[in-house]
Amino acid sequence: GRANDLGIPGVPMTRTRFLGTGIALPERVVTNDDLSQLMDTSDEWIKTRTGIRERRWVVPGETGTGLALKATRSALDIAGLGADDLDAIVYATSTPDHSAPGNGVYLQHLLGAGPIPALDIRTQCSGFVYALSVADGWIRSGLFRRVLVVGAEIQSTALDVSTAGRDTAVIFADGAGAVVLGPTDDDAGILAFDLHGDGAYAEKLWVDAPGSMHHPRMSHGQIDAGRHFLRMDGKEVFRHAVVRMPESVRAVLGKTGHTPADLKLLIAHQANLRIAEVIQRSLELRDDQVYNNIMWYGNTTAATIPIALDECVRAGRLARGDLIALTAFGSGFLWRSAALRW
Ligand code: COA
């Protein structure tokens, strides 16, 4: 046996491994030219500032839990498990189907899983890494064995698609990713997390209404004022994101005795391709050490990392034992990273 986290010799260490990954994206492709029909923008502006070429937006009838169900089935297939094998669900989304209850229980029901616990995580862009840290704690403590972690988002219905909302409307999009996690005693698995938040910036990227501080919680006045739309101070988000993500990647790798040069792959939250490029330069990573797909999907908030991870798995970019880092930054502000061996 090895020393466990508490340094107790002879006690075998349980770690959390990825058993399967899956994704689901709406079929409807929305190009930059499509957006130019709705608002004063251009393919050139969007590509230059964000790297995005197209994204997926749902059509009425497609839901977050519907996409999550598809992604989960695919992840369970890869894991060789059924819904009955799951012990718990952690569902990261800032855009649930309804205000309450959260999406976790809807997914549990759609899956036909047993009466297992389901926890919704509302930490926006960094929701998936936060959800992973919760699932990892549950698995390593022995509370649950097989945990489903979902990052899924429907942002398109929260966007102002007129010229007034063009700064956010061209960036955010819809999609879902799911991973099935389980315990392992070998060298693979999640090694460390680095988690931070600073609420001083809460209103730099937020949705004001509906909210319980408003009387009434939801009103025609709010809607007329567009307070139900996602609002962002893009420059402020950019400025913090390019500092916090590299800092956090160095910190989480430091906890494992590694540096960025040791990475097989960094998957950074797909907020904006320009942000991803600054992170890559700042960590001095080669092109083959990073993965970006924002060009095709836009920013799907909590779903960007599990979608990217699944694409890397399916493309054969990850081999057993590879050192990987995940990092995210977003609304809160909240930022967090994970280091793992595949
Ligand atoms: N199409 C055309 N013009 C647009 C536009 C769009 N979609 N969105 C904004 N503009 C205009 C602005 O109105 C402004 O016009 P003005 O100079 O006449 O006032 C001009 O473009 C420049 O706007 P500005 O906000 O200064 O641009 P920017 O260089 O900061 O780029 C972002 C804007 C949003 C691309 C950039 O700030 C950014 O990427 N921020 C990070 C966003 C992010 O990653 N969010 C997710 C975090 S999880």
Side-chain angles (χ1 to χ4, degrees), residues 129-297:
V129 183
Y130 204 105
L132 265 189
S133 71
V134 171
D136 179 55
W138 283 354
I139 290 169
R140 294 206 304 157
S141 71
L143 188 59
F144 300 114
R145 270 180 71 74
R146 302 257 160 73
V147 182
L148 172 69
V149 174
V150 172
E153 218 73 66
I154 305 295
Q155 289 293 357
S156 58
T157 54
L159 299 174
D160 175 358
V161 295
S162 73
T163 296
R166 62 185 179 176
D167 60 329
T168 51
V170 303
I171 291 179
F172 291 94
D174 309 337
V179 302
V180 178
L181 304 173
T184 181
D185 289 328
D186 65 21
D187 283 331
I190 297 173
L191 306 174
F193 286 99
D194 179 63
L195 310 171
H196 300 278
D198 188 346
Y201 302 95
E203 294 174 10
K204 298 295 180 190
L205 181 50
W206 73 318
V207 183
D208 176 19
S212 61
M213 69 167 282
H214 300 296
H215 298 262
R217 187 173 291 211
M218 193 174 171
S219 67
H220 292 289
Q222 285 169 353
I223 294 171
D224 292 343
R227 292 166 75 176
H228 58 302
F229 290 129
L230 182 67
R231 297 280 177 211
M232 174 177 80
D233 178 341
K235 280 195 182 349
E236 193 78 351
V237 172
F238 196 107
R239 204 165 63 78
H240 286 261
V242 295
V243 173
R244 294 309 195 179
M245 282 190 275
E247 187 179 271
S248 181
V249 169
R250 285 186 197 283
V252 81
L253 289 173
K255 289 183 188 185
T256 70
H258 291 288
T259 68
D262 301 327
L263 279 174
K264 176 69 193 290
L265 190 67
L266 170 70
I267 296 179
H269 170 51
Q270 300 288 289
N272 176 322
L273 191 60
R274 303 287 95 86
I275 292 176
E277 288 164 351
V278 178
I279 296 170
Q280 181 182 347
R281 274 200 303 278
S282 158
L283 294 172
E284 298 178 51
L285 297 174
R286 300 180 308 270
D287 287 348
D288 66 282
Q289 288 175 293
V290 297
Y291 183 75
N292 295 308
N293 60 9
I294 190 169
M295 303 74 91
W296 312 113
Y297 306 134

Side-chain angles (χ1 to χ4, degrees), residues 17-22 71-83 85-86 146-148 178-182 310 313-314 342:
R17 262 205 82 194
F18 287 71
L19 305 176
T21 63
T72 300
R73 288 198 171 131
S74 174
L76 283 169
D77 270 357
I78 301 272
L81 298 171
D85 296 311
L86 295 174
R146 302 257 160 73
V147 182
L148 172 69
V179 302
V180 178
L181 304 173
D310 177 86
V313 171
R314 283 169 209 264
W342 191 248

Side-chain angles (χ1 to χ4, degrees), residues 97-129:
D97 292 0
H98 303 285
S99 287
N103 277 6
V105 287
Y106 284 102
L107 179 60
Q108 175 269 334
H109 180 65
L110 287 172
L111 273 171
I116 57 173
L119 169 69
D120 273 50
I121 299 277
R122 289 195 41 185
T123 54
Q124 301 74 245
C125 293
S126 52
F128 181 76
V129 183

